[in-house]
Amino acid sequence: MAVRLGALTIGAGPAVVIGGPGADVHWISLRDRRGGVSSAESVAAARAWGAGPVLVEPSSEEDLPLIAERADGVVVGAAWMRASGLVRAVAGLGLPVLLHRHPSATLEEWLAIAGRCAAEGNDGVVLCESGGRAPLGAAAPDLALMRAARGRSGHPVLAGLGADPALASAAVAAGADGLLLDPSAGERDALAAREAVRIVGALTRRESPDSVVAAREAIDRVDAALAVLLERRAELAGTIQRLKPVGGFAGRDADRERRLVAEMARRAPVLGEARLAPIMNAVIEAGLHLAEEHRSAPRSRGADRGTETLGTEASRE
């Protein structure tokens, strides 16, 4: 089941990024307040980060009225998962609930807590798997458990990555409906997470957009993946040109190119060989032209240096 969070839907369509600069959703923990900042001031600051939805983790039940008034959803952190009274009170707010798994909780216990929210009339539960903590303190979500939770419950599931996006691509490929970063995640880490959602998600998550805008956004994600793959292909094609005894256009292998197109058509039967052949011919020729440019560039620089040397010697004469 998908969960609506502000203008976003989690569990249908593209995966989302929660936390860090440029995220789809911002979140804060009122347990981390420092310097005498009030809960209201912390939530207001989160609202000022951008136009996206805001999730808030309470420090106690006293924060729930403020969250109900000013947040789009509420976070039940791993430490709170077994606090049954708080869970019931959170579910009673009627807001979407992001429910972390406690590191020692079993799958059955985790899903039972989600069931308690449903018993309070709140089915808007998003599960978050952050796993235990590695020796160096990096988040290590159990991706197999994450998949099992989604399959057993039908709820959307996030992979909690902390401030380290190293598993972002793996999590998206494993079926995560989103990535949860620490609010303190840096720009580089947040960008890596967003790129994983965009690139890997385009390859692994099929979308059924229901508007022109949504369809164009889906195309943009596919085009981003295409750009990455085309760049990688051009690099590999350049390597082949350096290794072949006869490179360039003279070294083209027509039989191999036909087999390549046939194999692609097996994976893209709607396009078929007739449509794929001119596309791949253009891709191959672009790679050959690029390899020729790279091969001639050193010679051009060498020629320029030679001309400069001759000119210097002539001036001496």
Side-chain angles (χ1 to χ4, degrees):
M1 65 186 74
V3 173
R4 192 76 174 173
L5 182 64
L8 290 177
T9 300
I10 302 178
V16 301
V17 176
I18 301 176
D24 301 303
V25 181
H26 300 293
W27 81 281
I28 60 168
S29 175
L30 297 181
R31 301 173 65 199
D32 297 334
R33 294 198 315 279
R34 293 180 176 86
V37 177
S38 69
S39 296
E41 290 170 329
S42 296
V43 176
R47 279 287 181 205
W49 288 342
V54 173
L55 291 167
V56 180
E57 179 184 11
S59 62
S60 69
E61 288 192 44
E62 293 178 0
D63 292 321
L64 297 186
L66 172 68
I67 291 174
E69 179 184 353
R70 303 188 186 181
D72 299 291
V74 58
V75 176
V76 176
W80 293 121
M81 192 199 89
R82 289 170 168 151
S84 57
L86 179 67
V87 171
R88 283 195 300 271
V90 164
L93 297 179
L95 294 174
V97 177
L98 176 57
L99 178 63
H100 285 259
R101 183 181 71 86
H102 189 279
S104 66
T106 64
L107 174 61
E108 287 71 22
E109 183 181 4
W110 189 22
L111 298 186
I113 301 298
R116 291 180 192 172
C117 292
E120 296 293 328
N122 191 339
D123 282 328
V125 176
V126 178
L127 302 173
C128 183
E129 165 52 26
S130 299
R133 290 285 171 173
L136 295 180
D142 185 331
L143 300 183
L145 186 66
M146 179 194 75
R147 288 174 59 86
R150 199 188 196 293
R152 287 268 299 272
S153 71
H155 290 294
V157 182
L158 308 178
L161 304 180
D164 182 2
L167 291 179
S169 293
V172 175
D177 295 297
L179 307 176
L180 183 80
L181 301 178
D182 283 346
S184 61
E187 177 63 39
R188 180 178 298 180
D189 292 338
L191 178 60
R194 296 199 304 273
E195 281 294 283
V197 164
R198 190 173 183 84
I199 305 302
V200 180
L203 299 174
T204 59
R205 294 179 71 89
R206 296 191 67 86
E207 298 184 44
S208 300
D210 56 4
S211 70
V212 171
V213 171
R216 285 176 173 166
E217 290 174 348
I219 285 177
D220 289 346
R221 286 186 282 274
V222 172
D223 286 347
L226 274 174
V228 172
L229 293 174
L230 288 171
E231 181 82 355
R232 182 70 55 83
R233 191 190 194 285
E235 292 172 359
L236 294 171
T239 300
I240 289 175
Q241 294 308 306
R242 291 192 297 272
L243 297 174
K244 287 174 67 172
V246 179
F249 286 84
R252 290 184 69 168
D253 185 338
D255 287 338
R256 171 173 166 74
E257 290 179 17
R258 280 192 290 270
R259 292 195 301 272
L260 181 153
V261 169
E263 185 65 13
M264 292 189 72
R266 183 175 68 82
R267 293 181 170 84
V270 174
L271 287 173
E273 292 187 34
R275 294 184 180 88
L276 286 169
I279 294 172
M280 290 312 301
N281 182 65
V283 170
I284 290 167
E285 290 192 354
L288 291 172
H289 282 300
L290 183 62
E292 288 291 334
E293 290 174 10
H294 287 172
R295 185 161 41 236
S296 63
R299 288 201 297 270
S300 297
R301 288 195 292 270
D304 291 341
R305 285 195 296 270
T307 301
E308 291 171 2
T309 301
L310 289 172
T312 302
E313 292 177 354
S315 65
R316 288 174 182 169
E317 295 176 359

